[in-house]
Structure formats: structure tokens, C-alpha cells
Short mmCIF file of all heavy atoms in Angstrom, two decimals:
data_model
loop_
_atom_site.label_atom_id
_atom_site.label_comp_id
_atom_site.label_asym_id
_atom_site.label_seq_id
_atom_site.Cartn_x
_atom_site.Cartn_y
_atom_site.Cartn_z
N VAL A 1427 0.88 -1.20 0.02
CA VAL A 1427 0.02 -0.04 -0.05
C VAL A 1427 0.94 1.24 -0.01
O VAL A 1427 0.58 2.28 -0.77
CB VAL A 1427 -0.99 0.07 1.26
CG1 VAL A 1427 -1.63 1.39 1.38
CG2 VAL A 1427 -1.98 -1.11 1.19
N ASN A 1428 1.96 1.21 0.82
CA ASN A 1428 2.73 2.37 0.93
C ASN A 1428 3.36 2.82 -0.39
O ASN A 1428 3.39 3.96 -0.78
CB ASN A 1428 3.85 2.00 1.98
CG ASN A 1428 4.70 3.18 2.39
OD1 ASN A 1428 5.73 3.56 1.54
ND2 ASN A 1428 4.53 3.84 3.44
N LYS A 1429 3.89 1.77 -1.12
CA LYS A 1429 4.64 2.11 -2.33
C LYS A 1429 3.60 2.46 -3.44
O LYS A 1429 3.99 3.21 -4.36
CB LYS A 1429 5.53 0.97 -2.80
CG LYS A 1429 6.59 0.52 -1.76
CD LYS A 1429 7.34 1.87 -1.41
CE LYS A 1429 8.37 1.51 -0.31
NZ LYS A 1429 9.02 2.83 0.22
N SER A 1430 2.42 2.04 -3.34
CA SER A 1430 1.35 2.42 -4.32
C SER A 1430 1.02 3.93 -4.15
O SER A 1430 0.80 4.50 -5.10
CB SER A 1430 0.09 1.52 -4.18
OG SER A 1430 -0.75 1.93 -3.03
N LEU A 1431 1.03 4.33 -2.96
CA LEU A 1431 0.72 5.77 -2.64
C LEU A 1431 2.00 6.55 -3.03
O LEU A 1431 1.71 7.67 -3.60
CB LEU A 1431 0.50 5.96 -1.12
CG LEU A 1431 -0.80 5.21 -0.69
CD1 LEU A 1431 -0.90 5.53 0.92
CD2 LEU A 1431 -2.00 5.76 -1.34
N VAL A 1432 3.17 6.19 -2.83
CA VAL A 1432 4.31 6.89 -3.37
C VAL A 1432 4.25 6.96 -4.89
O VAL A 1432 4.41 8.08 -5.41
CB VAL A 1432 5.56 6.03 -3.05
CG1 VAL A 1432 6.79 6.65 -3.87
CG2 VAL A 1432 5.90 6.14 -1.53
N GLN A 1433 3.75 6.00 -5.54
CA GLN A 1433 3.67 5.88 -6.92
C GLN A 1433 2.66 7.01 -7.49
O GLN A 1433 2.82 7.70 -8.35
CB GLN A 1433 3.26 4.55 -7.45
CG GLN A 1433 3.32 4.45 -9.04
CD GLN A 1433 2.93 2.97 -9.34
OE1 GLN A 1433 2.76 1.96 -8.52
NE2 GLN A 1433 2.72 2.63 -10.61
N LEU A 1434 1.57 6.95 -6.80
CA LEU A 1434 0.46 8.00 -7.12
C LEU A 1434 1.00 9.37 -6.94
O LEU A 1434 0.65 10.27 -7.73
CB LEU A 1434 -0.82 7.79 -6.23
CG LEU A 1434 -1.76 6.76 -6.76
CD1 LEU A 1434 -2.85 6.61 -5.64
CD2 LEU A 1434 -2.48 7.14 -8.04
N VAL A 1435 1.63 9.70 -5.81
CA VAL A 1435 2.12 11.09 -5.56
C VAL A 1435 3.06 11.45 -6.61
O VAL A 1435 3.14 12.56 -7.13
CB VAL A 1435 2.82 11.16 -4.19
CG1 VAL A 1435 3.47 12.51 -4.01
CG2 VAL A 1435 1.72 10.94 -3.13
N GLU A 1436 4.06 10.59 -6.96
CA GLU A 1436 5.10 10.87 -7.96
C GLU A 1436 4.48 11.03 -9.33
O GLU A 1436 5.13 11.91 -10.14
CB GLU A 1436 6.20 9.84 -7.90
CG GLU A 1436 6.86 9.79 -6.64
CD GLU A 1436 8.35 9.40 -6.60
OE1 GLU A 1436 8.82 8.97 -7.66
OE2 GLU A 1436 9.00 9.50 -5.52
N GLN A 1437 3.36 10.29 -9.70
CA GLN A 1437 2.68 10.60 -10.92
C GLN A 1437 2.24 12.05 -11.02
O GLN A 1437 1.96 12.56 -12.17
CB GLN A 1437 1.47 9.65 -11.13
CG GLN A 1437 2.01 8.27 -11.45
CD GLN A 1437 0.73 7.31 -11.53
OE1 GLN A 1437 -0.47 7.65 -11.21
NE2 GLN A 1437 1.00 6.01 -11.91
N LEU A 1438 1.88 12.62 -9.91
CA LEU A 1438 1.53 13.98 -9.80
C LEU A 1438 2.57 15.13 -9.78
O LEU A 1438 2.33 16.28 -9.54
CB LEU A 1438 0.52 14.18 -8.73
CG LEU A 1438 -0.94 13.39 -8.97
CD1 LEU A 1438 -1.76 13.44 -7.65
CD2 LEU A 1438 -1.62 13.93 -10.18
N GLY A 1439 3.78 14.63 -9.87
CA GLY A 1439 4.88 15.65 -9.94
C GLY A 1439 5.55 15.91 -8.70
O GLY A 1439 6.31 16.96 -8.56
N VAL A 1440 5.25 15.22 -7.62
CA VAL A 1440 5.89 15.53 -6.29
C VAL A 1440 6.72 14.34 -5.79
O VAL A 1440 6.23 13.10 -5.94
CB VAL A 1440 4.85 15.85 -5.19
CG1 VAL A 1440 5.40 15.87 -3.86
CG2 VAL A 1440 4.20 17.28 -5.53
N LEU A 1441 7.89 14.44 -5.29
CA LEU A 1441 8.68 13.41 -4.91
C LEU A 1441 8.29 12.94 -3.47
O LEU A 1441 8.14 13.68 -2.59
CB LEU A 1441 10.19 13.84 -4.76
CG LEU A 1441 10.81 14.06 -6.25
CD1 LEU A 1441 12.29 14.54 -6.00
CD2 LEU A 1441 10.88 12.76 -7.05
N ALA A 1442 8.05 11.68 -3.35
CA ALA A 1442 7.61 11.04 -2.08
C ALA A 1442 8.50 9.94 -1.68
O ALA A 1442 9.20 9.39 -2.50
CB ALA A 1442 6.22 10.58 -2.17
N VAL A 1443 8.62 9.69 -0.37
CA VAL A 1443 9.41 8.63 0.17
C VAL A 1443 8.55 7.82 1.13
O VAL A 1443 8.03 8.43 2.12
CB VAL A 1443 10.76 9.14 0.94
CG1 VAL A 1443 11.35 7.92 1.58
CG2 VAL A 1443 11.64 9.81 -0.04
N GLY A 1444 8.35 6.55 0.95
CA GLY A 1444 7.71 5.71 1.90
C GLY A 1444 8.52 5.05 2.92
O GLY A 1444 9.61 4.58 2.60
N VAL A 1445 8.20 5.26 4.16
CA VAL A 1445 8.90 4.65 5.26
C VAL A 1445 7.83 3.94 6.18
O VAL A 1445 6.75 4.12 6.08
CB VAL A 1445 9.65 5.65 6.07
CG1 VAL A 1445 10.71 6.32 5.27
CG2 VAL A 1445 8.67 6.62 6.77
N SER A 1446 8.36 2.88 6.96
CA SER A 1446 7.55 2.30 7.91
C SER A 1446 8.09 2.83 9.29
O SER A 1446 9.10 3.47 9.36
CB SER A 1446 7.61 0.77 7.92
OG SER A 1446 8.79 0.36 8.60
N GLY A 1447 7.39 2.54 10.33
CA GLY A 1447 7.83 3.02 11.69
C GLY A 1447 8.99 2.42 12.09
O GLY A 1447 9.64 2.83 13.12
N LYS A 1448 9.45 1.36 11.40
CA LYS A 1448 10.65 0.59 11.72
C LYS A 1448 11.94 1.43 11.27
O LYS A 1448 13.03 1.31 11.78
CB LYS A 1448 10.78 -0.70 11.13
CG LYS A 1448 9.75 -1.62 11.77
CD LYS A 1448 9.50 -2.94 10.88
CE LYS A 1448 10.64 -3.93 11.01
NZ LYS A 1448 10.20 -5.23 10.46
N ASP A 1449 11.75 2.33 10.16
CA ASP A 1449 12.88 2.96 9.59
C ASP A 1449 13.35 4.21 10.49
O ASP A 1449 12.62 4.97 10.91
CB ASP A 1449 12.53 3.55 8.19
CG ASP A 1449 12.21 2.54 7.29
OD1 ASP A 1449 12.92 1.52 7.16
OD2 ASP A 1449 11.09 2.56 6.59
N GLY A 1450 14.63 4.14 10.81
CA GLY A 1450 15.24 5.23 11.58
C GLY A 1450 14.69 5.22 12.95
O GLY A 1450 14.76 6.35 13.63
N GLY A 1451 14.08 4.09 13.51
CA GLY A 1451 13.60 4.17 14.87
C GLY A 1451 12.43 5.12 14.94
O GLY A 1451 12.09 5.70 16.03
#
């Protein structure tokens, strides 16, 4: 789900980064 949302955002011309709560503590 996370990466599908990243994909949608980037299709609209904005750079997105998907993370989980595990990333970077």
C-alpha cells in the first residue's frame, strides 16, 4: 500500500518517500 501511494504522488509531480515506523527508529 505504501509504495502504491508513493507511485500516485510521484505521478502528480511531487517526490515522495515511503517509510515504515521501523525505519530510523
Side-chain angles (χ1 to χ4, degrees):
V1427 169
N1428 187 276
K1429 297 312 175 188
S1430 74
L1431 296 178
V1432 169
Q1433 186 175 355
L1434 273 174
V1435 170
E1436 298 210 353
Q1437 283 176 356
L1438 293 169
V1440 167
L1441 292 176
V1443 174
V1445 298
S1446 85
K1448 293 166 76 170
D1449 294 314

